[in-house]
Amino acid sequence: MDIGLVGLGKMGGNMRTRLRNAGHTVVGFDLDPERRDVDSLEAMVEALPSPKVVWVMVPSGKVTQDTVDALGELLGEGDLVIDGGNSRWTDDQAHAAQLGEKGIGFVDCGVSGGVWGLENGYALMYGGSAEDVKTAQPIFDALKPEGDFGAVHAGKVGAGHFSKMVHNGIEYAVMQSYAEGWELLQAVDVVDNTTEVFRSWREGTVIRSWLLDLLVGALDDDPGLASIAGYADDSGEGRWTVEAGIENAVATPAITAALYARFVSRQDDSPAMKAVAAMRNQFGGHAVKGVEKSGGEPGPEPDLA
């Protein structure tokens, strides 16, 4: 299958490789000339046979809107746009209506897997009509993990990104729990090796998970997380999850507390936030802030390559 891919960053570039490894033809465009296959969106669209399928993998908000606007002028009836970025689900509905006026289909797809997706596959949650999803199915099948799980047609347009939003809200709360537990174990002078305690939990316990594995990996790389500042950003989806809970009268205290903890981390250096920042870096390649040296200069940033 032929597909255009807009946005070849940490995830988009790996997705292009995984699709090509599965035998698909990918024409990629990115603002960075070192990454792209063609020099413009126009050239990308021209290189695709009809009906054309274009996957958008760019930051949410204005960048996504500008890309959808441009594709709306370049594509035609029967073509399909898939938004695989972290767009807000309400934007999906607006984009589907906008493109639908020209007969262009639209599917929203929440994507999880971070920098590990190339090897392990990406968990996919997609929303759209059955017809549009059927068109995109070969792409979903190539990107998903092996086995029976890891991909779902969640519902109508918006369902994919809404599901991914809730997924990320849950992720916030789980990461915060591990981080607080790590801080408490470190604070009490009774446990000799906190890292080995966490490592022991990777087998046989009810709290074992991939996030736990990643935290242990981070502690192996940097015992005590001494080089990481206790500062953690939020991508926006945690906020949207809390807002959706308020709008629908669904209590989300654990997710809300985890989000607020990240806000606090930007004011004071927090040991728990060191662990959250380390896990974000491990699974998604998200940048971390280095600690301040005694002379006031920031410490070295970890190598994310």
Side-chain angles (χ1 to χ4, degrees):
M1 181 174 176
D2 292 77
I3 184 171
L5 181 57
V6 184
L8 303 169
K10 294 173 185 173
M11 288 186 68
N14 282 346
M15 290 167 66
R16 174 176 60 178
T17 300
R18 187 172 175 88
L19 288 169
R20 286 177 173 171
N21 289 345
H24 297 287
T25 299
V26 184
V27 182
F29 173 72
D30 192 277
L31 294 179
D32 185 347
E34 297 298 318
R35 297 172 176 171
R36 64 195 185 200
D37 303 315
V38 292
D39 293 333
S40 66
L41 279 177
E42 292 83 357
M44 183 199 71
V45 170
E46 289 176 4
L48 298 173
S50 294
K52 302 175 188 293
V53 178
V54 176
W55 187 298
V56 178
M57 203 70 187
V58 300
S60 62
K62 186 178 186 302
V63 179
T64 294
Q65 184 62 62
D66 290 346
T67 304
V68 169
D69 291 344
L71 291 174
E73 298 298 321
L74 296 171
L75 299 175
E77 186 171 356
D79 294 338
L80 176 65
V81 172
I82 306 167
D83 180 5
N86 284 332
S87 294
R88 191 165 186 163
W89 66 281
T90 49
D91 291 343
D92 296 325
Q93 297 171 339
H95 294 157
Q98 175 185 346
L99 296 173
E101 292 179 357
K102 298 188 176 182
I104 304 170
F106 181 85
V107 170
D108 63 288
C109 184
V111 182
S112 181
V115 296
W116 299 88
L118 173 59
E119 178 180 354
N120 299 333
Y122 300 88
L124 307 173
M125 296 142 271
Y126 34 90
S129 71
E131 180 181 359
D132 287 339
V133 168
K134 182 178 179 180
T135 298
Q137 197 63 56
I139 301 300
F140 296 147
D141 290 343
L143 290 173
K144 70 177 288 293
E146 295 183 8
D148 296 332
F149 307 110
V152 60
H153 183 184
K156 60 187 178 181
V157 168
H161 280 143
F162 191 89
S163 298
K164 177 58 164 47
M165 177 191 76
V166 174
H167 164 282
N168 280 26
I170 294 170
E171 177 187 293
Y172 275 45
V174 173
M175 291 169 68
Q176 186 66 26
S177 295
Y178 284 138
E180 291 173 5
W182 176 77
E183 181 176 358
L184 181 57
L185 285 167
Q186 291 280 89
V188 179
D189 186 21
V190 64
V191 176
D192 293 331
N193 194 323
T194 302
T195 299
E196 291 308 313
V197 171
F198 269 78
R199 195 188 314 280
S200 75
W201 293 346
R202 295 174 64 185
E203 297 291 344
T205 71
V206 296
I207 62 168
R208 62 189 184 274
S209 74
W210 188 45
L211 283 173
L212 178 62
D213 295 342
L214 295 175
L215 178 54
V216 171
L219 291 168
D220 284 338
D221 293 340
D222 181 6
L225 305 178
S227 68
I228 299 177
Y231 177 108
D233 268 320
D234 66 286
S235 62
E237 289 172 306
R239 300 188 189 204
W240 301 341
T241 304
V242 172
E243 291 171 2
I246 293 170
E247 291 168 1
N248 293 278
V250 175
T252 58
I255 295 171
T256 303
L259 174 65
Y260 284 3
R262 295 195 183 192
F263 295 165
V264 171
S265 81
R266 297 163 205 174
Q267 301 168 9
D268 302 298
D269 192 36
S270 163
M273 283 301 121
K274 288 177 178 282
V276 170
M279 283 184 278
R280 293 182 80 241
N281 174 249
Q282 286 281 315
F283 73 72
H286 299 290
V288 297
K289 287 183 175 291
V291 297
E292 295 288 323
K293 294 181 179 178
S294 58
E297 297 179 358
E301 294 289 341
D303 183 5
L304 302 182

